[in-house]
RNA sequence: GCCCCAGUGGCGGAAUGGUAGACGCAGUAGACUCAAAAUCUACCGCCUUCACGGGCGUGCUGGUUCAAGUCCGGCCUGGGGCACCA
């Protein structure tokens, strides 16, 4: 029989699937629905191994659910706005639009070669005017509902990408894309009021039981809720100063009050105090990067003012400006309690301030308990605190809060780390913000009937700054309110907005409104979302916010967009370096005996650790090349084999060859099946070989089904190897049972290797497609066994094993166990003290 | 510094508290072949033994249990996240 020709066969089946429209999304029926979605790609030009892994997993689930009878929605689109298109446009003189759509065309072909069961009729790109038109409507809806505000704020300015960034997009003080050190600027910008939903977004995490705990924790930390007390100090100049604390219980341990250098009061005082002005300038010079903060010493400047203690007007605390107090959290002012806060302690030691312990651990003596170089932050009882003495920390917190609330100078409050989402971007390749600035009327929304605000046909990248701002013709318009001359908002929306609702649009991409309510209500939430962990906060938080905001507007019913989330691991490869320390691509290397040599010249290269495939380390393998050599099923099988899906997988040539051998092996088993009874012949287990085959097949059905339900692809793969081994071991024996086992192997492997499955199905004599064939069911009678092998331990060490009837009487099992040769030897004449029989598993004899 | 996760053969990895190493890769020996490829068969944790067998073994260490890779305490190593958030 001929070897399996993947290239021809795969193309043939892809055409056949398309001809029969097998993956078209079914109409809404009573069938259970399953919305399977992988994070849509940025159209960079070609797919990489990470895409291959991501889309293979999604496709397995989609095909598996379809076979099980679910109505499946499995769409694909393009996250198509963004900077790479602009860079390409500037570098190559092409238009970002042409560049993007050409990339999409190429990548679509590549994805189709993988044989994904996608409903391509729903495809769209976020840069399609039809899509961003709807997004502009959403923006106006959000604006009308008060979810959007325009504010002047200190913003993160990326000097390389020439745009502002949201807080989430600044990592270690650098832009998430460019890596440039972010500068601070004051600009008037648009914000989504995500903080309005902070509590909901936090509480919602508890309902996401099919999300990785890790992602939920990261989001919880990012939202950063803290409960505390806001209250006022009266200063010696008569002014009031608001502070926030989570430790009101430590108020009698206060020894200073500190302001952020960016606090308005600090600024006002600096106007009359040159020393303070210089100090503030010094603080601003210190970077915000982690490394800087780590090293930064606690520095302070005494303003000369004092603050009266809220419970004792005669107790005066010095008011300092301190470099470690952040304007961006709480009120930008704190009271310092050195005994119970490490930062305050460092500061107090440096400036010789009092350190009074007010919380004493239960097992310590309040008269002798002292603070050294470490603040005490644990539980305990209050001391040195007048009316709080003897209370627990919690009781003291409540007592202080109540008293200050009663006195009208305090209030229990909640603060979040989460800031509003700044969405204005000074970039031309994005969704234009549909707003108009009128000198007479101020900021005016573009009326919906005048949408879309289209991007200009051509974008001139030769200008400095934002090309949309420089495009006078595009920018100039009339005010919808007064009809006078006005200008468009020349900013575009952060591209994370584009990906924050695309999953809802997929439910009906033709809808005249952003979302077709009936379609969205039917399909949402996404049942299984799959993507990289790198979106744990950014994309996944924004999408959750959008969904909640849309739900408030009545556009969708669900509060959470993704019921199930799976974060897959990265694809890695060994790295190679030549004698000069230059990275060398695997294409240029030949491996022999665990060593690596240059193909050109034969010089040995050093083998480095396996790392995420990246251009900079040259350890990239192109999926195209693998598909061309072995076919899509081989690469799909590799992506699912061995390594659990959430872990990083290492690509190896040997592994790929092994996968391809298995493809050929299945083909051989199915295509050399002459002598098999006709399709549809009922299997009978009337001989040992048949029984063994039937049991192997039905156990595989049970196991693979369970593994796929739980996304344990690597285990499902192992089960299929086991079944193939059993079929191989049976040789030509088995008749109808052999046919059943072969068909089971084909049906179970179909979600993973869909093309091969179709070829084998045809070879086994079927006319219809596997892709339209229901998932097999196991017969429980065949997955049971009546003989079991029991191990016998003596004092916990395994000494023998023997076969026995399943559920055999414990007395009989005990007797048999004691007769085993190994057991007799191990007992060496000793009398057993105790015999534990675990039915159908093990016997442990204690002697 | 804080939080989370993970440490199992040469490698990727299996294992409801119940026979550790399923399955795959690599490797060894053999069959087929003029030969090679492909394929098939057997072996494949370490030490010891002619063999039967015996000893050791899931990062280290202590504990719970008839029984621990699995549960509990302490530690080591690696990875990830957060990081002056009051």
């Amino acid at each position: 029989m001929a070897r399996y020709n993947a290239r021809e066969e795969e193309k043939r089946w892809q055409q056949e699937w398309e001809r029969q429209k097998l993956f078209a999304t079914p109409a809404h029926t009573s069938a259970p629905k399953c919305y399977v979605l992988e994070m849509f790609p940025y159209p960079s030009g070609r797919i990489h191994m990470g895409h291959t892994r991501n889309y293979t997993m999604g496709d397995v689930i989609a095909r598996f659910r379809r076979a099980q009878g679910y109505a499946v929605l499995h769409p694909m689109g393009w996250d198509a706005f963004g900077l790479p298109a602009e860079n390409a446009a500037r570098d190559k003189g092409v238009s970002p639009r042409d560049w993007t759509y050409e990339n999409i065309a190429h990548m679509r072909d590549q994805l189709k070669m993988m044989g994904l069961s996608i409903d391509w009729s729903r495809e769209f790109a976020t840069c399609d005017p039809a899509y961003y038109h709807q997004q502009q409507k959403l923006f106006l809806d959000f604006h009308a509902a008060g979810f959007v505000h325009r504010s002047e704020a200190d913003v993160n300015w990326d000097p390389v990408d020439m745009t502002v960034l949201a807080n989430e997009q600044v990592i270690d003080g650098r832009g998430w894309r460019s890596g440039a050190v972010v500068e601070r600027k004051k600009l008037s910008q648009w914000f989504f009021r995500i903080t309005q939903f902070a509590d909901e977004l936090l509480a919602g995490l508890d309902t996401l039981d099919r999300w990785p705990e890790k992602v939920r924790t990261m989001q919880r930390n990012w939202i950063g809720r803290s409960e505390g007390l806001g209250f006022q100090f009266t200063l010696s100049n008569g002014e009031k100063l608001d502070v926030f604390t989570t430790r009101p219980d430590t108020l009698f341990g206060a020894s200073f009050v500190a302001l952020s250098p960016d606090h308005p009061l600090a600024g006002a005082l600096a106007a009359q105090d040159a020393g303070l002005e210089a100090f503030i300038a010094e603080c601003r010079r210190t970077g915000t990067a982690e490394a800087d903060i780590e090293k930064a010493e606690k520095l302070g400047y005494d303003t000369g003012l004092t603050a009266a203690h809220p419970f004792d007007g005669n107790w005066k605390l010095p008011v300092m400006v301190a470099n470690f107090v952040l304007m961006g959290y709480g009120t930008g002012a704190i009271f310092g309690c050195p005994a119970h806060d490490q930062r305050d302690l460092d500061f107090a030691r440096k400036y010789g301030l009092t350190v009074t312990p007010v919380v004493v651990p239960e097992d310590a003596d309040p008269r002798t308990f002292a603070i050294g170089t470490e603040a005490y932050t644990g539980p305990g009882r209050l001391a040195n605190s007048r009316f709080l003495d003897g209370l627990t920390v919690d009781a003291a917190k409540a007592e202080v809060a109540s008293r200050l609330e009663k006195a009208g100078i305090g209030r229990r409050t909640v603060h979040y780390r989460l800031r509003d989402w700044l969405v204005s971007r000074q970039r031309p390749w994005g969704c234009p913000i549909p707003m108009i600035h009128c000198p007479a009327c101020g900021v005016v929304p573009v009326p919906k009937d005048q949408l879309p605000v289209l991007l200009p046909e051509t974008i001139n990248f030769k200008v400095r700054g934002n090309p949309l701002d420089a495009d006078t013709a595009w920018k100039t318009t009339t005010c919808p309110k007064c009809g006078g001359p006005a200008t468009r908002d020349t900013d575009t929306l952060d591209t994370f907005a584009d990906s924050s609702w695309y999953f809802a649009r997929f439910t009906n991409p033709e809808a005249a409104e952003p979302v077709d309510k009936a379609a969205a209500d039917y399909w949402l939430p996404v049942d299984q979302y799959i993507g990289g962990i790198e979106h744990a906060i950014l994309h996944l938080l924004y999408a959750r916010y959008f969904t909640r905001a849309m739900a408030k507007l009545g556009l969708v019913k669900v509060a959470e967009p993704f019921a199930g989330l799976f974060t897959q691991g990265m694809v890695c490869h060994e790295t190679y370096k030549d004698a000069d320390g230059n990275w060398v691509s695997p294409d240029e290397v030949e491996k022999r005996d665990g060593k690596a040599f240059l193909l050109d010249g034969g010089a040995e290269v050093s083998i480095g650790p396996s790392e995420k495939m990246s251009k900079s380390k040259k350890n990239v393998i192109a999926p195209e090349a693998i598909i061309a050599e072995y076919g899509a099923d081989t690469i799909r099988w590799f992506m699912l084999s061995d390594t659990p899906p959430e872990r990083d997988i290492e690509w190896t040539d040997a592994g790929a060859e092994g996968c391809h051998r298995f493809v050929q092996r299945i083909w051989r088993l199915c295509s050399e099946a002459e002598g098999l009874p006709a399709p549809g012949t009922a299997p009978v287990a009337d001989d040992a070989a048949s029984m063994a085959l039937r049991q192997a097949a039905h156990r595989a059905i049970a196991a693979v089904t369970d593994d796929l339900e739980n996304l344990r692809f690597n285990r499902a793969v192992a089960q299929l190897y086991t079944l193939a081994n059993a079929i191989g071991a049976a040789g030509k024996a088995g008749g109808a049972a052999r046919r059943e086992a072969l068909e089971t192997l084909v049906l179970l492997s179909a979600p993973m290797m869909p093309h091969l499955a179709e070829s084998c199905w045809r070879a086994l004599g079927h006319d219809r497609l596997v892709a339209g064939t229901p998932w097999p069911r196991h017969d429980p009678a065949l997955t049971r066994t009546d003989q079991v092998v029991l191990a016998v331990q003596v004092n916990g060490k395994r000494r023998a094993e023997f076969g026995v009837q399943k559920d055999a009487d414990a007395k009989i099992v005990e007797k048999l166990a004691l007769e085993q040769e190994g057991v007799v030897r191990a007992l060496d004449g000793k009398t057993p003290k105790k015999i534990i029989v675990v039915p159908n598993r093990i016997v442990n004899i204690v002697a």
Side-chain angles (χ1 to χ4, degrees):
Chain A
M1 203 68 174
R3 281 172 67 79
Y4 180 68
N5 185 334
R7 202 181 306 189
E8 283 174 18
E9 296 289 304
E10 291 185 352
K11 194 163 183 194
R12 175 181 164 207
W13 297 120
Q14 285 161 17
Q15 286 169 352
E16 191 57 26
W17 294 327
E18 197 164 322
R19 200 182 63 75
Q20 297 197 21
K21 298 205 183 330
L22 275 171
F23 309 131
T25 311
H28 311 174
T29 64
S30 57
K33 67 94 184 177
C34 186
Y35 185 176
V36 182
L37 187 67
E38 301 95 61
M39 291 180 185
F40 66 165
Y42 178 80
S44 59
R46 38 195 23 117
I47 61 164
H48 52 65
M49 283 292 184
H51 293 129
T52 310
R53 194 174 192 206
N54 192 182
Y55 299 136
T56 298
M57 290 179 191
D59 196 46
V60 171
I61 298 165
R63 285 177 181 270
F64 171 58
R65 291 304 187 195
R66 210 175 275 118
Q68 283 187 318
Y70 286 80
V72 171
L73 171 58
H74 188 214
M76 181 60 72
W78 311 94
D79 187 15
F81 272 135
L83 271 162
E86 292 186 30
N87 295 336
R90 192 175 302 105
D91 297 347
K92 296 172 189 160
V94 296
S95 92
R97 185 176 291 108
D98 293 348
W99 183 84
T100 302
Y101 282 106
E102 277 165 30
N103 285 349
I104 287 174
H106 187 224
M107 289 175 75
R108 183 192 302 118
D109 286 347
Q110 291 185 309
L111 288 181
K112 286 190 172 180
M113 283 200 300
M114 285 186 61
L116 305 175
S117 63
I118 282 167
D119 180 357
W120 285 103
S121 73
R122 295 188 178 230
E123 175 191 357
F124 61 76
T126 55
C127 65
D128 295 343
Y131 184 79
Y132 71 75
H133 178 186
Q134 300 301 334
Q135 186 161 304
Q136 289 173 341
K137 281 194 202 162
L138 269 184
F139 184 88
L140 294 178
D141 289 344
F142 278 29
H143 184 259
F147 296 171
V148 174
H149 64 96
R150 185 172 176 81
S151 310
E152 169 147 301
D154 262 336
V155 299
N156 307 300
W157 176 259
D158 186 320
V160 169
D161 284 350
M162 298 276 280
T163 186
V164 301
L165 297 174
N167 282 18
E168 289 79 4
Q169 293 159 2
V170 180
I171 295 152
D172 300 350
R174 292 169 183 271
W176 71 286
R177 269 202 84 259
S178 69
V181 174
V182 165
E183 298 166 1
R184 301 196 72 74
K185 261 196 175 186
K186 254 201 179 5
L187 284 174
S188 215
Q189 301 277 286
W190 290 106
F191 291 83
F192 283 139
R193 213 184 288 277
I194 189 171
T195 51
Q196 175 186 358
F197 291 88
D199 245 338
E200 279 189 43
L201 288 169
L202 188 66
L205 291 170
D206 294 332
T207 68
L208 299 174
D209 55 342
R210 289 202 295 124
W211 277 43
E213 188 53 48
K214 182 187 164 103
V215 174
R216 294 196 283 169
T217 305
M218 283 168 71
Q219 292 213 355
R220 247 177 232 126
N221 292 340
W222 184 263
I223 295 168
R225 182 181 205 272
S226 45
E227 277 180 39
L229 182 74
F231 67 94
Q232 265 181 353
F233 279 106
T234 302
L235 305 185
S236 50
N237 66 358
E239 284 194 51
K240 308 283 186 189
L241 178 70
D242 285 313
V243 298
F244 174 71
T245 181
T246 54
R247 293 296 302 273
D249 55 305
T250 64
L251 195 47
F252 287 102
S255 59
F256 64 95
V257 168
L259 304 173
S260 163
D262 298 317
H263 195 282
L265 178 58
L269 294 170
Q272 280 108 53
D273 185 340
L276 179 56
E277 194 178 3
F279 175 76
I280 292 173
E282 173 64 31
C283 292
R284 290 202 174 135
R285 262 200 295 282
T286 319
T288 50
E290 288 172 21
D292 296 327
I293 292 165
E294 190 92 4
K295 280 179 293 192
E297 208 182 341
K298 303 277 178 287
L299 294 174
Y301 186 94
D302 193 335
T303 63
L305 291 178
T306 59
H309 192 282
F311 288 124
D312 183 349
N314 296 321
W315 182 355
K316 305 294 186 189
L317 301 164
V319 177
M320 319 276 287
V321 173
N323 65 343
F324 64 93
V325 181
L326 306 174
M327 194 57 218
Y329 189 81
T331 62
I334 59 156
F335 78 83
C337 175
H340 306 291
D341 183 287
Q342 192 60 44
R343 293 157 302 177
D344 296 348
L345 182 62
D346 294 345
F347 188 78
R349 292 291 186 222
K350 185 172 167 80
Y351 292 101
L353 300 164
T354 329
V355 179
T356 313
V358 290
V359 178
V360 178
E362 295 282 2
D363 56 0
D365 182 346
R367 286 162 303 186
T368 56
F369 182 68
I371 299 294
T373 54
E374 272 186 39
Y376 177 71
T377 55
R381 298 245 172 215
L382 273 286
N384 306 317
S385 295
R386 305 187 192 182
F387 55 84
L388 298 175
D389 282 355
L391 294 180
T392 63
V393 165
D394 283 342
K397 281 180 179 171
E399 181 62 24
V400 169
S402 300
R403 289 198 185 211
L404 290 183
E405 279 181 338
K406 203 170 282 174
I409 56 166
R411 192 182 186 91
R412 288 178 170 90
T413 47
V414 175
H415 273 280
Y416 296 95
R417 214 185 79 108
L418 185 70
R419 298 269 82 99
D420 277 341
W421 175 14
L422 196 168
V423 290
S424 302
R425 294 291 180 276
Q426 291 69 49
R427 307 299 337 164
W429 187 234
C431 170
I433 296 176
M435 288 288 174
I436 289 170
H437 300 269
C438 171
C441 311
V443 180
V444 183
V446 176
K448 278 194 180 176
D449 59 14
Q450 290 176 28
L451 294 178
V453 178
L454 290 171
L455 288 167
E457 274 303 310
T458 54
I459 299 170
N460 179 8
F461 284 96
K462 299 227 164 71
V463 298
R464 260 190 75 80
N466 182 0
L468 294 183
D469 197 36
D471 188 335
T472 320
W474 185 83
K475 183 177 166 184
T476 309
T477 185
T478 51
C479 172
K481 225 180 208 171
C482 70
T487 56
R488 295 196 179 283
D489 199 307
T490 57
D491 288 347
T492 55
L493 284 176
D494 182 359
T495 56
F496 277 103
D498 310 345
S499 53
S500 292
W501 68 286
Y502 77 109
F503 45 87
R505 186 72 187 162
F506 272 140
T507 64
N508 180 358
E510 311 288 326
E513 292 303 315
V515 181
D516 168 350
K517 188 127 192 342
D521 287 350
Y522 178 76
W523 287 111
L524 292 179
V526 173
D527 295 279
Q528 188 62 60
Y529 197 38
I530 311 179
I533 186 77
E534 66 273 19
H535 293 107
I537 292 173
L538 288 164
H539 163 57
L540 290 168
L541 185 63
Y542 294 147
R544 294 183 61 223
Y545 158 68
F546 249 72
T547 304
R548 280 178 189 272
M550 284 161 57
K552 282 258 155 47
L553 296 175
L555 299 176
V556 297
K557 222 163 47 179
V558 295
E560 290 288 340
F562 313 120
L565 171 71
F566 190 84
T567 53
Q568 99 267 6
M570 299 181 297
V571 183
C572 300
H573 195 281
E574 274 183 338
T575 47
Y576 307 106
K577 273 184 176 178
D578 67 16
D580 302 328
N582 302 311
W583 298 106
V584 177
S585 158
D587 297 341
E588 305 165 344
V589 165
E590 181 188 27
K591 290 192 74 184
R592 286 194 307 267
D593 306 325
K595 290 179 179 173
F597 305 90
L598 278 180
L599 283 171
D600 180 15
E604 184 171 354
V605 294
S606 64
I607 301 176
S610 182
E611 295 188 59
K612 180 185 180 178
M613 289 189 178
S614 74
K615 277 184 204 156
S616 61
K617 286 173 183 148
K618 286 200 179 178
N619 60 338
V620 176
I621 303 288
E624 285 177 298
I626 305 299
I627 293 175
E629 189 173 356
Y630 299 114
D633 286 334
T634 296
I635 198 169
R636 291 172 62 117
W637 189 247
F638 186 105
M639 289 300 164
L640 300 165
S641 299
D642 297 346
T643 305
E646 68 279 8
R647 288 200 211 166
D648 291 352
I649 192 171
E650 188 186 355
W651 180 269
T652 62
D653 290 344
E657 280 161 27
C659 290
H660 189 64
R661 275 201 297 273
F662 188 60
V663 167
Q664 294 294 349
R665 191 166 148 217
I666 293 187
W667 172 245
R668 236 179 0 260
L669 287 171
C670 293
S671 62
E672 290 175 354
E674 75 274 5
L676 278 187
T681 311
V684 190
D686 55 1
D687 59 291
S690 293
M691 191 61 191
L693 276 171
R694 295 214 69 194
Q695 287 192 335
H698 284 261
R699 281 187 194 132
I701 294 171
V704 171
T705 304
D706 186 52
D707 287 337
L708 292 186
E709 301 261 9
N710 294 293
L711 275 46
R712 293 186 296 238
F713 305 115
N714 57 316
R715 296 214 319 193
V717 162
Q719 301 294 348
L720 290 174
Y721 276 110
T722 305
L723 177 56
N725 289 346
I727 296 173
K732 298 283 178 203
R738 178 173 169 77
R739 162 170 288 282
E740 181 189 41
L742 285 167
E743 291 189 350
T744 299
L745 179 63
V746 170
L747 292 173
L748 295 182
S749 63
M752 305 185 230
M753 298 190 286
H755 313 87
L756 175 69
E758 297 291 0
S759 298
C760 290
W761 199 238
R762 192 57 55 99
L764 287 169
H766 291 276
D767 300 327
R768 298 189 45 207
L769 295 177
V770 174
T773 304
W775 193 249
R777 288 171 176 280
H778 77 273
D779 178 353
L782 287 165
T783 52
R784 279 199 293 269
T785 41
D786 21 311
Q787 279 289 112
V788 289
V789 176
L790 288 189
V792 189
Q793 296 182 330
V794 177
N795 293 330
K797 287 190 196 298
R798 191 176 70 91
R799 294 299 176 187
E801 62 182 39
F802 64 98
V804 71
Q805 190 73 20
K806 187 161 185 264
D807 299 323
D809 186 82
K811 286 272 177 289
I812 298 169
V813 170
E814 223 172 81
K815 181 168 170 290
L816 284 169
L818 288 167
E819 284 168 4
Q820 299 302 310
E821 197 187 317
V823 174
V824 173
R825 185 163 50 227
L827 280 175
D828 193 24
K830 289 193 282 280
T831 320
K833 290 196 191 89
K834 188 174 174 188
I835 301 178
I836 295 128
V837 179
V838 183
N840 303 320
R841 285 208 179 268
I842 205 165
V843 180
N844 193 7
I845 300 166
V846 187

